[in-house]
Amino acid sequence: MDYLSDKSKKYLCRFKRFYEKSNFVMKHLIKLAIVMVPIIILLQLFFIKLEFSIDKEYKIGNTKIPSIESVVGNRRVTSKYITIGAQIYKYRGAKNPKEDLEKYTNCLIEKYGFREIDFYGGKRLLREEPENKLVIVVEMKADSKGYEVRIGKLNNK
């Protein structure tokens, strides 16, 4: 234990004394905690990564829209915000973000019935759903590092 500092040695000695004085149940709880905490942390990290990598479609209400990843390939999701009326995804890892957005826009227009309207600083696509009395809105903005996709719904009365 020569590689430990004096302060670390002091805390280690305290822990050993505490552990030796503990009863049977406490000793097992300490062992269990030492084993389980790293396992729980690793599982959480794994599921967070899995959650960000499996979104091949966006779901807003009863409507499913293909995700930008399903059209242009895997991109790194850096953040994901979901509220009652909107979802915001931020992506990084595209060599040419504007090209990705153009490809995604064309796909939504040609295959999924969206139409593009003027939108300053990005693209905005709309699709009416008369059966649900909704308008689905997809807004996209690109910067030099990646892009942001915002999906929302509006009531159409």
Side-chain angles (χ1 to χ4, degrees), residues 59-77:
K59 186 175 181 187
I60 185 123
N62 295 330
T63 305
K64 293 180 181 177
I65 303 166
S67 73
I68 196 163
E69 286 184 286
S70 67
V71 175
V72 300
N74 281 343
R75 300 294 183 258
R76 187 170 59 113
V77 179

PDB file of all heavy atoms in Angstrom, residues 59-77:
ATOM      1  N   LYS A  59     -42.261   9.069 -32.932  1.00  0.00           N
ATOM      2  CA  LYS A  59     -43.679   8.844 -32.695  1.00  0.00           C
ATOM      3  C   LYS A  59     -44.232  10.038 -31.956  1.00  0.00           C
ATOM      4  O   LYS A  59     -43.755  10.385 -30.879  1.00  0.00           O
ATOM      5  CB  LYS A  59     -43.875   7.562 -31.892  1.00  0.00           C
ATOM      6  CG  LYS A  59     -45.329   7.205 -31.739  1.00  0.00           C
ATOM      7  CD  LYS A  59     -45.515   5.873 -31.061  1.00  0.00           C
ATOM      8  CE  LYS A  59     -47.003   5.596 -30.971  1.00  0.00           C
ATOM      9  NZ  LYS A  59     -47.301   4.418 -30.197  1.00  0.00           N
ATOM     10  N   ILE A  60     -45.209  10.666 -32.561  1.00  0.00           N
ATOM     11  CA  ILE A  60     -45.863  11.792 -31.917  1.00  0.00           C
ATOM     12  C   ILE A  60     -47.360  11.517 -31.962  1.00  0.00           C
ATOM     13  O   ILE A  60     -47.934  11.402 -33.026  1.00  0.00           O
ATOM     14  CB  ILE A  60     -45.471  13.140 -32.559  1.00  0.00           C
ATOM     15  CG1 ILE A  60     -46.054  14.298 -31.798  1.00  0.00           C
ATOM     16  CG2 ILE A  60     -45.814  13.233 -33.984  1.00  0.00           C
ATOM     17  CD1 ILE A  60     -45.024  15.260 -31.336  1.00  0.00           C
ATOM     18  N   GLY A  61     -47.941  11.328 -30.802  1.00  0.00           N
ATOM     19  CA  GLY A  61     -49.333  10.882 -30.751  1.00  0.00           C
ATOM     20  C   GLY A  61     -49.414   9.471 -31.331  1.00  0.00           C
ATOM     21  O   GLY A  61     -48.656   8.587 -30.969  1.00  0.00           O
ATOM     22  N   ASN A  62     -50.356   9.288 -32.271  1.00  0.00           N
ATOM     23  CA  ASN A  62     -50.490   7.996 -32.943  1.00  0.00           C
ATOM     24  C   ASN A  62     -49.729   7.959 -34.258  1.00  0.00           C
ATOM     25  O   ASN A  62     -49.798   6.978 -34.989  1.00  0.00           O
ATOM     26  CB  ASN A  62     -51.968   7.694 -33.215  1.00  0.00           C
ATOM     27  CG  ASN A  62     -52.749   7.526 -31.930  1.00  0.00           C
ATOM     28  OD1 ASN A  62     -52.199   7.087 -30.929  1.00  0.00           O
ATOM     29  ND2 ASN A  62     -54.017   7.890 -31.949  1.00  0.00           N
ATOM     30  N   THR A  63     -49.019   9.013 -34.566  1.00  0.00           N
ATOM     31  CA  THR A  63     -48.331   9.139 -35.842  1.00  0.00           C
ATOM     32  C   THR A  63     -46.877   8.720 -35.723  1.00  0.00           C
ATOM     33  O   THR A  63     -46.190   9.112 -34.793  1.00  0.00           O
ATOM     34  CB  THR A  63     -48.403  10.609 -36.330  1.00  0.00           C
ATOM     35  OG1 THR A  63     -49.764  11.004 -36.368  1.00  0.00           O
ATOM     36  CG2 THR A  63     -47.787  10.759 -37.691  1.00  0.00           C
ATOM     37  N   LYS A  64     -46.443   7.940 -36.701  1.00  0.00           N
ATOM     38  CA  LYS A  64     -45.039   7.531 -36.765  1.00  0.00           C
ATOM     39  C   LYS A  64     -44.415   8.146 -38.006  1.00  0.00           C
ATOM     40  O   LYS A  64     -44.989   8.091 -39.090  1.00  0.00           O
ATOM     41  CB  LYS A  64     -44.918   6.012 -36.810  1.00  0.00           C
ATOM     42  CG  LYS A  64     -45.358   5.344 -35.539  1.00  0.00           C
ATOM     43  CD  LYS A  64     -45.217   3.848 -35.636  1.00  0.00           C
ATOM     44  CE  LYS A  64     -45.692   3.193 -34.354  1.00  0.00           C
ATOM     45  NZ  LYS A  64     -45.636   1.732 -34.435  1.00  0.00           N
ATOM     46  N   ILE A  65     -43.236   8.727 -37.819  1.00  0.00           N
ATOM     47  CA  ILE A  65     -42.487   9.358 -38.904  1.00  0.00           C
ATOM     48  C   ILE A  65     -41.100   8.719 -38.896  1.00  0.00           C
ATOM     49  O   ILE A  65     -40.506   8.565 -37.830  1.00  0.00           O
ATOM     50  CB  ILE A  65     -42.351  10.873 -38.661  1.00  0.00           C
ATOM     51  CG1 ILE A  65     -43.719  11.517 -38.520  1.00  0.00           C
ATOM     52  CG2 ILE A  65     -41.557  11.536 -39.773  1.00  0.00           C
ATOM     53  CD1 ILE A  65     -43.669  12.919 -37.960  1.00  0.00           C
ATOM     54  N   PRO A  66     -40.558   8.360 -40.050  1.00  0.00           N
ATOM     55  CA  PRO A  66     -39.209   7.790 -40.041  1.00  0.00           C
ATOM     56  C   PRO A  66     -38.211   8.810 -39.499  1.00  0.00           C
ATOM     57  O   PRO A  66     -38.332  10.003 -39.755  1.00  0.00           O
ATOM     58  CB  PRO A  66     -38.935   7.463 -41.506  1.00  0.00           C
ATOM     59  CG  PRO A  66     -39.867   8.317 -42.272  1.00  0.00           C
ATOM     60  CD  PRO A  66     -41.074   8.522 -41.405  1.00  0.00           C
ATOM     61  N   SER A  67     -37.251   8.333 -38.738  1.00  0.00           N
ATOM     62  CA  SER A  67     -36.250   9.251 -38.188  1.00  0.00           C
ATOM     63  C   SER A  67     -35.233   9.602 -39.261  1.00  0.00           C
ATOM     64  O   SER A  67     -35.110   8.925 -40.277  1.00  0.00           O
ATOM     65  CB  SER A  67     -35.545   8.616 -36.993  1.00  0.00           C
ATOM     66  OG  SER A  67     -34.666   7.605 -37.437  1.00  0.00           O
ATOM     67  N   ILE A  68     -34.495  10.650 -39.007  1.00  0.00           N
ATOM     68  CA  ILE A  68     -33.463  11.062 -39.949  1.00  0.00           C
ATOM     69  C   ILE A  68     -32.385   9.984 -40.060  1.00  0.00           C
ATOM     70  O   ILE A  68     -31.816   9.768 -41.122  1.00  0.00           O
ATOM     71  CB  ILE A  68     -32.878  12.445 -39.581  1.00  0.00           C
ATOM     72  CG1 ILE A  68     -32.118  13.021 -40.759  1.00  0.00           C
ATOM     73  CG2 ILE A  68     -32.040  12.363 -38.326  1.00  0.00           C
ATOM     74  CD1 ILE A  68     -31.852  14.492 -40.676  1.00  0.00           C
ATOM     75  N   GLU A  69     -32.152   9.241 -38.970  1.00  0.00           N
ATOM     76  CA  GLU A  69     -31.173   8.157 -39.004  1.00  0.00           C
ATOM     77  C   GLU A  69     -31.594   7.036 -39.943  1.00  0.00           C
ATOM     78  O   GLU A  69     -30.757   6.405 -40.580  1.00  0.00           O
ATOM     79  CB  GLU A  69     -30.961   7.568 -37.613  1.00  0.00           C
ATOM     80  CG  GLU A  69     -30.160   8.442 -36.688  1.00  0.00           C
ATOM     81  CD  GLU A  69     -29.922   7.752 -35.367  1.00  0.00           C
ATOM     82  OE1 GLU A  69     -30.864   7.665 -34.572  1.00  0.00           O
ATOM     83  OE2 GLU A  69     -28.789   7.317 -35.138  1.00  0.00           O
ATOM     84  N   SER A  70     -32.894   6.774 -40.023  1.00  0.00           N
ATOM     85  CA  SER A  70     -33.359   5.703 -40.909  1.00  0.00           C
ATOM     86  C   SER A  70     -33.195   6.087 -42.374  1.00  0.00           C
ATOM     87  O   SER A  70     -33.160   5.220 -43.240  1.00  0.00           O
ATOM     88  CB  SER A  70     -34.817   5.353 -40.612  1.00  0.00           C
ATOM     89  OG  SER A  70     -35.665   6.415 -40.964  1.00  0.00           O
ATOM     90  N   VAL A  71     -33.074   7.370 -42.646  1.00  0.00           N
ATOM     91  CA  VAL A  71     -32.929   7.830 -44.033  1.00  0.00           C
ATOM     92  C   VAL A  71     -31.463   8.044 -44.407  1.00  0.00           C
ATOM     93  O   VAL A  71     -31.027   7.613 -45.472  1.00  0.00           O
ATOM     94  CB  VAL A  71     -33.734   9.139 -44.249  1.00  0.00           C
ATOM     95  CG1 VAL A  71     -33.514   9.697 -45.643  1.00  0.00           C
ATOM     96  CG2 VAL A  71     -35.212   8.895 -43.997  1.00  0.00           C
ATOM     97  N   VAL A  72     -30.685   8.677 -43.545  1.00  0.00           N
ATOM     98  CA  VAL A  72     -29.299   9.040 -43.907  1.00  0.00           C
ATOM     99  C   VAL A  72     -28.243   8.167 -43.248  1.00  0.00           C
ATOM    100  O   VAL A  72     -27.062   8.314 -43.540  1.00  0.00           O
ATOM    101  CB  VAL A  72     -29.011  10.528 -43.587  1.00  0.00           C
ATOM    102  CG1 VAL A  72     -29.952  11.433 -44.345  1.00  0.00           C
ATOM    103  CG2 VAL A  72     -29.079  10.801 -42.100  1.00  0.00           C
ATOM    104  N   GLY A  73     -28.625   7.270 -42.353  1.00  0.00           N
ATOM    105  CA  GLY A  73     -27.651   6.426 -41.668  1.00  0.00           C
ATOM    106  C   GLY A  73     -27.436   6.880 -40.239  1.00  0.00           C
ATOM    107  O   GLY A  73     -28.009   7.868 -39.785  1.00  0.00           O
ATOM    108  N   ASN A  74     -26.617   6.145 -39.518  1.00  0.00           N
ATOM    109  CA  ASN A  74     -26.394   6.421 -38.100  1.00  0.00           C
ATOM    110  C   ASN A  74     -25.717   7.764 -37.887  1.00  0.00           C
ATOM    111  O   ASN A  74     -24.723   8.077 -38.523  1.00  0.00           O
ATOM    112  CB  ASN A  74     -25.549   5.324 -37.462  1.00  0.00           C
ATOM    113  CG  ASN A  74     -26.363   4.099 -37.156  1.00  0.00           C
ATOM    114  OD1 ASN A  74     -27.581   4.157 -37.120  1.00  0.00           O
ATOM    115  ND2 ASN A  74     -25.693   2.990 -36.955  1.00  0.00           N
ATOM    116  N   ARG A  75     -26.298   8.521 -36.999  1.00  0.00           N
ATOM    117  CA  ARG A  75     -25.733   9.779 -36.528  1.00  0.00           C
ATOM    118  C   ARG A  75     -25.776   9.734 -35.014  1.00  0.00           C
ATOM    119  O   ARG A  75     -26.624   9.075 -34.422  1.00  0.00           O
ATOM    120  CB  ARG A  75     -26.528  10.987 -37.035  1.00  0.00           C
ATOM    121  CG  ARG A  75     -26.585  11.121 -38.539  1.00  0.00           C
ATOM    122  CD  ARG A  75     -25.207  11.406 -39.127  1.00  0.00           C
ATOM    123  NE  ARG A  75     -25.236  11.603 -40.553  1.00  0.00           N
ATOM    124  CZ  ARG A  75     -24.881  10.696 -41.449  1.00  0.00           C
ATOM    125  NH1 ARG A  75     -24.492   9.500 -41.049  1.00  0.00           N
ATOM    126  NH2 ARG A  75     -24.916  10.966 -42.728  1.00  0.00           N
ATOM    127  N   ARG A  76     -24.897  10.451 -34.393  1.00  0.00           N
ATOM    128  CA  ARG A  76     -24.820  10.449 -32.930  1.00  0.00           C
ATOM    129  C   ARG A  76     -25.843  11.434 -32.375  1.00  0.00           C
ATOM    130  O   ARG A  76     -25.809  12.630 -32.662  1.00  0.00           O
ATOM    131  CB  ARG A  76     -23.417  10.830 -32.488  1.00  0.00           C
ATOM    132  CG  ARG A  76     -23.200  10.681 -31.001  1.00  0.00           C
ATOM    133  CD  ARG A  76     -21.746  10.833 -30.660  1.00  0.00           C
ATOM    134  NE  ARG A  76     -21.263  12.125 -31.085  1.00  0.00           N
ATOM    135  CZ  ARG A  76     -20.868  13.082 -30.263  1.00  0.00           C
ATOM    136  NH1 ARG A  76     -20.859  12.873 -28.979  1.00  0.00           N
ATOM    137  NH2 ARG A  76     -20.446  14.232 -30.718  1.00  0.00           N
ATOM    138  N   VAL A  77     -26.769  10.923 -31.566  1.00  0.00           N
ATOM    139  CA  VAL A  77     -27.756  11.767 -30.900  1.00  0.00           C
ATOM    140  C   VAL A  77     -27.079  12.348 -29.668  1.00  0.00           C
ATOM    141  O   VAL A  77     -26.643  11.620 -28.790  1.00  0.00           O
ATOM    142  CB  VAL A  77     -28.997  10.960 -30.477  1.00  0.00           C
ATOM    143  CG1 VAL A  77     -29.991  11.853 -29.761  1.00  0.00           C
ATOM    144  CG2 VAL A  77     -29.648  10.303 -31.667  1.00  0.00           C
TER     145      VAL A  77
END
